[in-house]
């Protein structure tokens, strides 16, 4: 089979450039890359379709066709969408419709045929899946990764601040794209039951998809990459990191608690990641406190402290 991955945001290259260093280069890209490679290794022909970026600050993403050396059956295809330079995902919407989709269709016309199926990622990829299916009949699956409704809730939107929030995040496009994607997809792929039954049931998606219809959903838990998270995995700066952590444990944790297991959270410092929820859950559970320490990794402790002070 020939399968196209629709993932306009962020980008892909064999060096995993910018992964986890920019908000558009997060877990979604790791997921897409790994699923794409797994499918390619089963013998299918895979194309990861993303945006061409010609920008001195982002030099890795200018070539139209790229590969992962040593891995067969997989191409990274970068096609223009709007201006040449890097754009954050919130600003891609009009360029996807005006340029990216026509460029995808033109590319495959020149190649002699479209993929048999597409798999669309996030609301922006989903919108492209919807429009490509309408134009060509090629079916698509939809993996939302993150739904806009939950982000609106985490940002504590009110009628007073909604316009300001929307100016920054363009939720008016995102929610519409997500509704269309979940409605038109061949199937919606979620990681958990919670995602299907709670997140897709949010009132802003009412009527878009029936969460109780098993034919409309597949739950596929993503799992963990043991080459990174396994007990034997070693990172480039293993010793320095361990030393740093030990130093902090001695500084911040009473001696009697130092050998307890840790509940570890590592993410961007963003309301949507619900770090405050984790702190609250830990603070409210004597059992958790007895059995483990809570540990966070992020770059900017000062911003988090300010956020806590603002709220409480
Ligand atoms: O930060 C990880 C991540 O999963 C990205 O890969 C993904 O694009 C993003 O979160 C979506 O976040 P948001 O809902 O804030 O747009």
């Amino acid at each position: 089979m020939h399968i196209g991955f629709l993932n306009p945001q962020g980008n892909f290259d064999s060096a995993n450039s910018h992964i986890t260093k920019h908000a558009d280069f997060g877990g979604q890209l790791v997921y897409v890359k790994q699923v794409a490679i797994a499918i390619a290794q089963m013998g299918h022909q895979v194309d990861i379709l993303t945006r061409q970026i010609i920008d001195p600050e982002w030099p890795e993403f200018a070539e139209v066709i790229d590969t992962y050396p040593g891995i067969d059956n997989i191409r990274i295809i970068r096609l223009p969408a709007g201006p040449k330079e890097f754009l954050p995902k919130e600003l891609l919407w009009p360029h996807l419709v005006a340029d990216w989709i026509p460029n995808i269709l033109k590319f495959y016309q020149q190649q002699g045929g479209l993929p048999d199926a597409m798999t669309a990622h996030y609301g922006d990829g989903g919108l492209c899946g919807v429009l490509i299916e309408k134009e060509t009949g090629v079916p698509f699956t939809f993996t939302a990764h993150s739904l806009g409704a939950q982000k609106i809730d985490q940002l504590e939107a009110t009628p007073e601040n909604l316009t300001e929030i929307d100016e920054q995040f363009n939720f008016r496009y995102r929610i519409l794209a997500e509704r269309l994607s979940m409605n038109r997809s061949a199937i919606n792929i979620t990681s958990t039951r919670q995602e299907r039954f709670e997140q897709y049931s949010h009132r802003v998606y009412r009527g878009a998809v029936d969460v109780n219809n098993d034919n409309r959903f597949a739950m596929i838990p993503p799992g963990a990459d043991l080459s990174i998270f396994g007990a034997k995995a070693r990172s480039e700066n293993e010793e320095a990191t361990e030393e740093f952590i030990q130093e902090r444990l001695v500084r911040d944790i009473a001696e009697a608690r130092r050998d307890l297991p840790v509940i570890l959270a590592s993410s961007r410092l963003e309301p949507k990641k619900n770090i405050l929820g984790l702190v609250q859950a830990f603070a409210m559970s004597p059992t958790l406190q007895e059995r483990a320490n809570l540990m966070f990794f992020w770059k900017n402790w000062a911003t988090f402290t300010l956020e806590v002070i603002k709220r409480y």
Side-chain angles (χ1 to χ4, degrees):
M1 231 175 137
H2 182 187
I3 299 164
F5 279 65
L6 295 164
N7 190 112
Q9 67 181 256
N11 223 290
F12 298 83
D13 69 340
S14 57
N16 295 326
S17 304
H18 309 283
I19 290 282
T20 73
K21 298 198 179 100
H22 184 282
D24 295 3
F25 289 73
Q28 176 182 328
L29 299 200
V30 177
Y31 178 105
V32 164
K33 176 181 171 181
Q34 292 190 344
V35 175
I37 290 176
I39 291 177
Q41 285 172 341
M42 290 164 81
H44 300 291
Q45 181 57 48
V46 173
D47 292 338
I48 299 180
L49 294 147
T50 192
R51 183 172 169 257
Q52 184 183 40
I53 301 170
I54 303 176
D55 185 333
E57 309 249 323
W58 303 80
E60 304 88 354
F61 311 123
E63 293 300 320
V64 172
I65 298 197
D66 207 345
T67 55
Y68 290 117
I71 300 175
D72 294 334
N73 302 335
I74 185 161
R75 303 186 289 184
I76 299 163
I77 297 167
R78 306 187 187 101
L79 298 170
K84 290 185 166 45
E85 60 267 22
F86 174 80
L87 283 182
K89 67 180 184 302
E90 287 77 11
L91 303 184
L92 293 179
W93 300 103
H95 308 301
L96 299 178
V97 179
D99 292 336
W100 201 58
I101 296 170
N103 284 332
I104 291 175
L105 298 179
K106 211 184 307 159
F107 174 83
Y108 283 118
Q109 206 174 26
Q110 285 161 0
Q111 296 268 311
L114 283 152
D116 302 299
M118 297 285 190
T119 164
H121 294 266
Y122 196 87
D124 50 13
L127 177 68
C128 301
V130 171
L131 296 175
I132 290 173
E133 192 225 43
K134 187 162 185 323
E135 190 70 22
T136 65
V138 173
F140 71 99
T141 64
F142 176 53
T143 310
H145 293 273
S146 164
L147 286 169
Q150 275 72 33
K151 182 157 175 162
I152 296 177
D153 289 348
Q154 290 291 343
L155 290 167
E156 296 180 356
T158 61
E160 290 72 42
N161 64 16
L162 188 59
T163 310
E164 195 190 320
I165 288 180
D166 195 42
E167 257 161 40
Q168 189 185 346
F169 294 106
N170 275 331
F171 284 116
R172 62 194 175 285
Y173 301 135
R174 180 168 172 187
I175 300 292
L176 183 62
E178 289 169 346
R179 286 183 60 90
L180 285 166
S181 308
M182 54 183 81
N183 181 270
R184 301 299 311 158
S185 63
I187 201 144
N188 296 299
I189 297 172
T190 67
S191 299
T192 58
R193 281 175 58 79
Q194 190 275 350
E195 186 182 356
R196 169 175 166 185
F197 288 104
E198 290 181 33
Q199 299 191 36
Y200 276 72
S201 291
H202 194 285
R203 64 187 181 285
V204 309
Y205 304 123
R206 194 171 296 150
V209 68
D210 176 2
V211 296
N212 294 309
N213 183 345
D214 288 341
N215 295 325
R216 301 294 296 119
F217 284 89
M219 192 190 80
I220 308 176
D225 180 348
L226 296 179
S227 70
I228 299 174
F229 297 107
K232 294 198 182 120
R234 291 289 168 267
S235 74
E236 273 168 30
N237 49 358
E238 183 82 15
E239 279 75 32
T241 310
E242 196 175 332
E243 223 172 87
F244 177 81
I245 293 169
Q246 287 304 340
E247 209 180 276
R248 289 296 189 270
L249 288 178
V250 170
R251 190 191 69 179
D252 298 335
I253 309 269
E255 203 178 344
R257 292 185 59 89
R258 266 178 225 153
D259 288 333
L260 288 180
V262 292
I263 299 166
L264 176 67
S266 171
S267 72
R268 278 185 291 127
L269 195 56
E270 232 218 51
K272 196 193 69 175
K273 303 290 181 190
N274 202 16
I275 293 162
L276 290 176
L278 179 57
V279 174
Q280 277 168 339
F282 188 77
M284 283 159 56
S285 167
T287 318
L288 276 183
Q289 290 172 41
E290 233 167 67
R291 295 171 62 173
N293 291 315
L294 183 57
M295 188 185 282
F296 298 100
F297 274 87
W298 58 67
K299 284 193 189 142
N300 197 341
W301 170 257
T303 322
F304 177 68
T305 313
L306 274 178
E307 179 73 10
V308 174
I309 292 169
K310 243 180 12 203
R311 288 195 182 205
Y312 298 100

